[in-house]
Amino acid sequence: MKKISSFLCVTMLLMVALLAPPAVAQTGPKTLIVYDAPAGSEYTKLGMAYGIMLKNLLGHFDSNAELLPAQNYVAGKMQAYDATFYLGSYYDNPLPAAFLSDASTTTKTVVWFKYNLWQLAWNPAYGFPAKFGFDYSTLRGLNALPTAANPAPGFFDTIGYKGKSFVKYYTFDSATGAINADPDIGTTTVLDPVKASVLVPVTNPKTGETVPYVTRSGKFWYVADMPFSFIGPRDRYLVLADLLHDMLGVNTPEKHRALVRLEDVGAMVSVSAMKTLTDYLYGKHIPFSIATIPRYVDALGVYNGNIPQTVPLSQATNLKTALNYALPRGAEVVMHGYTHQYSNIRDPHTGVSGDDYEFWNIVTNSPVAEDSTAWAQDRITKGKAELTSNGYTPVAWETPHYHSSALASKVFAKPANFSTTYQRVVYFTADKPNFNPVPNKDFGVGQIFPYVIKKDYYGQRIIPESLGNIEYDIRAIDPTSNFNYTWQDIVTNADYAKVVRDGYASFFFHPFWLEPDVGTPGFADFKKVIDGITALGYTWIAPSQAQ
């Protein structure tokens, strides 16, 4: 049984590394992202990580945003931009007087997130309340500290938007006392409803209180928290993704498209399973894609009697049969790594194609030993050659397990390699990571996308995979496959994705769930996902049609 890959969990911060992005021409709104970078703190680079995530979303609008630490801001700078976004990620980080003055007087759009609005609102020199018609009130967090007896005391965690409730992530480990959550919000009070209005509310279910989540006064916007922390497919992150259209003044019509991808399809794929899925989708007139692994490697012989095995595409009879049957029936090929495993080690499971990481050592949480532009390029070149020499042309790239080094991600994006990627991505804040919890440690953030990103931080064009995949707990067969994610979860995610006016419903599915020895209702559940997303009003498209 192959290990099931998944990127469904709430995005957590990883301490990893990043290389600077290539220069990209400005074609859409000109935007500036100002972020907290307090010197001497272990969170110095956290603001940059959030800035990268915002920059990626702005890439949907053809905006190549400039990233700027707050302390480097100079007077008059925001006047040269259509919109300035300030990411207040660090409590009471001192902001330059020039920034505060410009934010209070500019005629351009300003979007302020979470902390430090009090430095502007409570300083009488700026006349903020009278000018904008609302005032900053106070910071609110957990109702009480959690305990074993009261593990979830509550906070303002439920954001209401377009008829949906977006609940912020929260977990508490009573054994260690660790809290995984971002409960702080900045509360505001509207003083003059002619000047200011509450666009989105947030509620504290434990107390019944409701306060503003997004407040707007003309071109000044305030967002009560940091929507990039602990993101997920039903998170308030989607609220921001939709509101960015309004913040940037981009008039986008309502349009919802759906994508389905058959995942981890390699030499050992079941032809029967692939034919069943192909016939079903073809009968529904639904185009689809196949995440194809060009070369199969079982470096340790895990599935071959302890004898290492390699199967090039030229000898992969099952794979070629499946592809040759699917392509005339609406399928497109996505290149899913070269071997989708790394060397002759367990990274972390079996060392077999489809099971393990290829461009990242997940065991040590670091780039692989060979990581370089030349090494990554060699694997891309070899993988594409295997496909093209056998008559297959990939329309996009998908990184194995959505995780690679910054250097490798930049290689994938090279025009000679792939004009498009189809995935989620992990982004890093330095090229040489500091893993210690000391000042200037580096962060990495995993990001999902609700729509096409025309140019991300690495220069990649990204087609989204936003919903996840069906998973079953089959630990009796495969101890590493012990997680359930149902067809209902996928369809519910798609329902939430519709709040984004041009949001995608994009999921993937492993054909091995149809194999009899697995004993799951894979095909029945797959059909339920297709029917559920169709009933929501999405239009199915192929990756080559994504815009």
Side-chain angles (χ1 to χ4, degrees):
M1 171 53 57
K2 294 170 65 178
K3 176 69 177 71
I4 302 160
S5 69
S6 176
F7 200 88
L8 297 170
C9 298
V10 175
T11 301
M12 308 298 283
L13 294 175
L14 310 170
M15 291 175 286
V16 279
L18 162 130
L19 295 179
V24 181
Q26 180 75 47
T27 57
K30 191 175 182 183
T31 54
L32 174 67
I33 299 172
V34 178
Y35 62 90
D36 290 336
S41 166
E42 64 179 291
Y43 298 107
T44 295
K45 294 186 178 180
L46 180 58
M48 179 184 178
Y50 291 145
I52 291 168
M53 298 175 79
L54 176 56
K55 180 181 174 72
N56 292 331
L57 288 183
L58 293 173
H60 174 63
F61 304 92
D62 281 322
S63 180
N64 179 34
E66 179 185 347
L67 290 165
L68 181 72
Q71 64 266 28
N72 293 346
Y73 184 85
V74 295
K77 187 173 179 65
M78 68 176 66
Q79 200 61 23
Y81 297 84
D82 298 304
T84 295
F85 298 83
Y86 167 62
L87 299 174
S89 63
Y90 194 82
Y91 178 81
D92 227 13
N93 184 48
L95 296 175
F99 177 76
L100 295 171
S101 177
D102 285 357
S104 68
T105 59
T106 183
T107 58
K108 302 299 184 69
T109 295
V110 174
V111 183
W112 193 298
F113 293 88
K114 197 175 182 178
Y115 291 137
N116 306 325
L117 183 62
W118 54 84
Q119 296 182 34
L120 179 61
W122 292 350
N123 188 331
Y126 303 117
F128 183 90
K131 180 174 183 178
F132 293 101
F134 75 97
D135 200 1
Y136 183 84
S137 300
T138 189
L139 194 67
R140 298 289 295 273
L142 288 166
N143 297 333
L145 289 177
T147 63
N150 183 25
F155 59 100
F156 286 90
D157 68 353
T158 304
I159 292 89
Y161 187 68
K162 292 187 176 180
K164 294 283 189 296
S165 294
F166 295 82
V167 179
K168 294 173 64 173
Y169 182 78
Y170 173 86
T171 62
F172 171 64
D173 187 334
S174 59
T176 63
I179 302 170
N180 281 320
D182 183 9
D184 286 355
I185 65 163
T187 61
T188 57
T189 301
V190 173
L191 304 174
D192 184 348
V194 174
K195 293 181 178 179
S197 60
V198 178
L199 301 186
V200 183
V202 58
T203 300
N204 186 325
K206 295 282 188 177
T207 66
E209 297 173 271
T210 296
V211 298
Y213 181 71
V214 177
T215 305
R216 180 181 184 182
S217 175
K219 291 188 176 183
F220 191 98
W221 302 67
Y222 178 67
V223 181
D225 79 344
M226 186 60 62
F228 299 106
S229 65
F230 299 97
I231 66 173
R234 305 171 202 169
D235 183 64
R236 83 285 193 209
Y237 169 74
L238 294 179
V239 176
L240 172 65
D242 187 55
L243 285 176
L244 281 173
H245 296 82
D246 302 318
M247 293 169 174
L248 296 172
V250 176
N251 185 18
T252 300
E254 196 86 11
K255 186 176 184 180
H256 299 290
R257 288 146 290 185
L259 292 160
V260 55
R261 187 178 71 224
L262 304 183
E263 193 77 348
D264 290 339
V265 178
M268 303 305 174
V269 71
S270 164
V271 174
S272 174
M274 287 294 293
K275 185 177 185 299
T276 297
L277 293 165
T278 296
D279 286 343
Y280 172 74
L281 293 169
Y282 183 57
K284 291 275 191 177
H285 306 289
I286 294 175
F288 61 102
S289 60
I290 300 174
T292 305
I293 304 169
R295 175 169 288 236
Y296 175 85
V297 176
D298 180 354
L300 303 174
V302 171
Y303 300 139
N304 193 44
N306 296 319
I307 300 172
Q309 182 182 23
T310 297
V311 182
L313 184 53
S314 61
Q315 299 173 19
T317 303
N318 282 16
L319 176 54
K320 291 199 294 183
T321 299
L323 292 176
N324 292 341
Y325 186 79
L327 292 178
R329 292 168 173 81
E332 295 182 343
V333 172
V334 173
M335 183 170 156
H336 192 22
Y338 173 37
T339 64
H340 201 317
Q341 56 81 234
Y342 170 62
S343 190
N344 61 347
I345 67 171
R346 296 176 183 268
D347 187 27
H349 301 295
T350 64
V352 179
S353 292
D355 285 8
D356 283 6
Y357 293 74
E358 181 174 354
F359 294 90
W360 188 260
N361 188 328
I362 198 65
V363 176
T364 61
N365 192 29
S366 63
V368 300
E370 302 90 340
D371 185 53
S372 67
T373 297
W375 180 81
Q377 182 62 61
D378 181 62
R379 298 191 75 77
I380 296 297
T381 300
K382 287 177 178 176
K384 289 186 73 175
E386 291 234 13
L387 288 171
T388 57
S389 65
N390 284 276
Y392 308 113
T393 302
V395 299
W397 164 265
E398 179 197 352
T399 302
H401 293 326
Y402 297 147
H403 202 149
S404 69
S405 71
L407 185 58
S409 289
K410 291 178 68 177
V411 171
F412 307 151
K414 287 185 175 181
N417 291 331
F418 294 96
S419 62
T420 298
T421 65
Y422 180 6
Q423 57 184 351
R424 307 179 184 194
V425 185
V426 176
Y427 298 91
F428 310 122
T429 57
D431 37 344
K432 293 184 179 181
N434 173 1
F435 294 104
N436 298 313
V438 296
N440 302 317
K441 79 171 182 181
D442 297 305
F443 290 95
V445 285
Q447 191 167 9
I448 58 177
F449 299 105
Y451 33 49
V452 171
I453 303 302
K454 297 175 184 178
K455 192 76 71 173
D456 79 340
Y457 191 76
Y458 295 132
Q460 301 173 113
R461 177 179 182 268
I462 303 174
I463 299 172
E465 181 282 292
S466 52
L467 307 183
N469 64 295
I470 293 175
E471 302 239 28
Y472 300 96
D473 185 344
I474 55 166
R475 68 187 71 189
I477 300 173
D478 179 359
T480 64
S481 299
N482 53 17
F483 177 67
N484 280 311
Y485 207 75
T486 69
W487 71 266
Q488 292 98 329
D489 288 320
I490 305 297
V491 175
T492 299
N493 292 347
D495 190 28
Y496 273 75
K498 284 195 72 177
V499 304
V500 182
R501 64 200 69 180
D502 53 353
Y504 275 69
S506 178
F507 80 105
F508 64 94
F509 181 81
H510 291 94
F512 57 68
W513 288 130
L514 271 64
E515 296 176 18
D517 60 339
V518 178
T520 65
F523 186 43
D525 288 351
F526 177 79
K527 292 189 288 185
K528 290 174 182 176
V529 173
I530 296 293
D531 289 343
I533 292 176
T534 301
L536 288 170
Y538 285 90
T539 299
W540 294 96
I541 63 171
S544 61
Q545 299 171 305
Q547 298 178 355

